[in-house]
Amino acid sequence: MKSKVIQWLLVTAILLIGFAARFYKVTEVPPSLNWDETSIAYNAYSILTSGKDEWGVSFPLNFKSYGEYKLPVQIYASIPGIFVFGLNELGVRITPIVYGTLTILLLYFLAKELFDKKVALISSFFLAISPWHIQLTRASFESSFSVFWVLLGLLLLVKGLKKPWLWVLSVIPFAISVYTYNSARIFTPLIIIAFGIIYFKKVIPHVKQIVVSGLLFVGLMAPIILSIFTGEAAARYKLVSVTDEKGLIPRIEQQRNLSTYPKVITNLIHNRYTYVGYYSIRNYVSHFSPDFLFISGAGHKQHHPQKVGEMFLIQAPFVIWGIVQLIRKKNKYNGLLFAWLLLTFVPVSLTNDSIPHALRTVIAAPIYQIFTAVGIVELFNLLKGKRLIVASQMLGIATIISFYLYYHHLIVDYPRLYSQAWQYGYKQVVEYISDHEDEYDLVVFSRSYGEPHMFTLFFKMYDPERYQKADKVIQVDPNDWIKIYSFDKYRFPDLSEPGTMYKDLVKEYPGKEILFIGKHEDFVDGQKVLLNVKFLDGQDAFDIVDNK
């Protein structure tokens, strides 16, 4: 009884650490909401207040958003936070904080089922302080929510080896993961199939549970399958797919022209299939690089704070030792563990941007914490007496120092260095617009940093029903990305492009008093600046001027 109390006190302490690491200064770090967060939140707000999304569709299964058709779970799950805290930073980010903390608890239960209490405590602790997981649960990223659902599905799947009826229940969180993030559309079916193959002898006797689970999963997937034929399911893939990269064909043609081999051989070497295969393998392997895992992490400034690996460097020897010991001792769950790791990077291998990619591969974060925990437990089992005490103290001190250095950088340096990557400055601009727009006939907000209409909607808490009915000027680019160029009295051109520059718009709207927002170089030298908004590193973000 006493050991159970201690165990749950430790679990509670780990959860509190995880919650605090995600909640502290969450409205300031990351330094601004990005355009995906504002879109998720505004659509949740629109559903909450009107029952329709921004495009006037009632309770959609795919949210049109910018034309990439966001999956629904993150948006609907954001409604309670926005209802309680309002349409603001905390209202948006409280949802990932909550499910991020609960994911730690799920990992504890899963690791306990796979191994024992020691591995469960250590792996959940390292997920609680994981740079990889903290970054993606301090902001509203759909990928980290899919991790929650996949872990719940895996937990029920593993427990189902003893109680097969749990396989039917596991279908529900697995299906939800598919409706949460695009990578899960590939990973989830693959991990289920892998589980069935690995544990075939244990699974096959339970035909009834298999049939019911299969039918339920297919039924829940029916809307997704239907959306493939409407093009909605493929919209996001088109934006990031390695097969749709614009430079692919020109590179193939260039290499063919440079080749000295006969034409038949040249065509066999340089073609779409060999190049897609090459880039997919390269992308896949890059996610196992020590630099990505333990030193620098992902290069994308929103997905990773930089200057630290996706895991702490001190975890490296334990991850390696843990994998070695699992293979050596032939743990009965090795097949599932290694399938989990290896299948994680299949979806991202088919994409073309920001490789290696922390966001699309965050489902690997929990498995690496399990490997770390196994490595620590197995190594410490070899130590006795003073050596064990000294090793424990050294690991504890090294972990505290590593976490302190990382977290200090995250809270203090990261917002200042990378505020531009987070589209900082929109809030300050929209606050000025709200205070002064009645003094002007038009408000022209340059789209040079991207999607100013959504930041305007969000920070003004613009009435969703009014926006749904508003006349809009829309342009769809070759990748089906939707650009809103105007609604109401707001115009969103690119002030740096000929035809929509400051002087052009003044001529286009003679006699109109116009408030302009753009980059410093969008306006003439000596023009009176009503407000200058700077990024947190001191560089100019926006100038606000008028034509009065």
Side-chain angles (χ1 to χ4, degrees), residues 68-79:
E68 84 285 34
Y69 287 93
K70 295 185 186 300
L71 292 171
V73 174
Q74 187 86 359
I75 293 173
Y76 286 114
S78 298
I79 291 174

Side-chain angles (χ1 to χ4, degrees), residues 256-521:
R256 284 180 175 180
N257 292 333
L258 294 173
S259 176
T260 57
Y261 293 111
K263 186 176 180 179
V264 174
I265 302 299
T266 297
N267 290 346
L268 284 174
I269 296 172
H270 303 290
N271 59 69
R272 176 183 286 270
Y273 301 105
T274 56
Y275 270 58
V276 168
Y278 165 75
Y279 286 117
S280 296
I281 293 170
R282 186 191 67 176
N283 291 348
Y284 184 89
V285 172
S286 70
H287 290 86
F288 293 99
S289 72
D291 184 68
F292 170 68
L293 293 174
F294 303 110
I295 300 171
S296 303
H300 196 295
K301 307 302 188 297
Q302 287 185 9
H303 304 161
H304 188 66
Q306 313 302 299
K307 299 187 178 181
V308 65
E310 297 300 331
M311 291 175 280
F312 298 115
L313 186 58
I314 59 166
Q315 290 182 253
F318 297 111
V319 169
I320 296 170
W321 187 246
I323 292 173
V324 169
Q325 290 302 304
L326 284 171
I327 295 171
R328 188 176 71 86
K329 293 190 174 183
K330 298 180 180 179
N331 181 283
K332 66 178 180 179
Y333 293 115
N334 275 0
L336 178 62
L337 293 171
F338 291 117
W340 178 355
L341 176 67
L342 297 174
L343 293 175
T344 293
F345 306 106
V346 171
V348 74
S349 69
L350 304 174
T351 64
N352 61 27
D353 62 320
S354 302
I355 300 295
H357 206 289
L359 184 73
R360 295 176 189 143
T361 58
V362 67
I363 188 58
I367 188 64
Y368 276 121
Q369 315 315 319
I370 291 176
F371 291 151
T372 300
V374 171
I376 291 172
V377 170
E378 291 292 336
L379 184 62
F380 280 28
N381 282 341
L382 301 175
L383 305 175
K384 305 294 181 183
K386 288 185 178 180
R387 289 185 177 181
L388 178 60
I389 294 171
V390 172
S392 300
Q393 290 174 339
M394 289 178 64
L395 177 60
I397 292 169
T399 302
I400 291 170
I401 292 172
S402 297
F403 180 73
Y404 171 78
L405 293 175
Y406 147 69
Y407 204 70
H408 181 271
H409 168 69
L410 175 69
I411 299 300
V412 177
D413 299 326
Y414 176 68
R416 173 176 53 82
L417 294 173
Y418 304 114
S419 63
Q420 183 171 354
W422 278 92
Q423 291 117 36
Y424 180 85
Y426 279 105
K427 180 179 181 179
Q428 293 80 356
V429 167
V430 176
E431 286 175 348
Y432 187 92
I433 291 172
S434 297
D435 291 339
H436 298 278
E437 64 181 324
D438 290 342
E439 303 166 21
Y440 298 91
D441 300 305
L442 292 175
V443 175
V444 174
F445 197 163
S446 180
R447 62 182 308 103
S448 50
Y449 294 120
E451 315 316 324
H453 79 281
M454 185 52 68
F455 290 96
T456 302
L457 293 170
F458 178 91
F459 288 114
K460 283 184 62 63
M461 292 182 66
Y462 196 91
D463 178 22
E465 291 191 71
R466 183 181 173 190
Y467 179 68
Q468 292 159 16
K469 297 173 183 176
D471 291 330
K472 307 174 186 72
V473 174
I474 299 170
Q475 184 184 82
V476 181
D477 74 10
N479 288 319
D480 295 329
W481 190 267
I482 298 172
K483 298 177 180 180
I484 304 295
Y485 279 94
S486 76
F487 72 88
D488 203 339
K489 67 189 296 183
Y490 309 103
R491 304 292 181 269
F492 305 104
D494 188 334
L495 288 175
S496 65
E497 291 185 356
T500 58
M501 300 173 76
Y502 171 83
K503 60 181 181 180
D504 300 318
L505 295 172
V506 170
K507 290 180 181 178
E508 184 178 346
Y509 299 104
K512 298 283 188 181
E513 294 185 345
I514 307 173
L515 185 68
F516 287 90
I517 303 99
K519 294 181 178 180
H520 180 75
E521 55 268 27

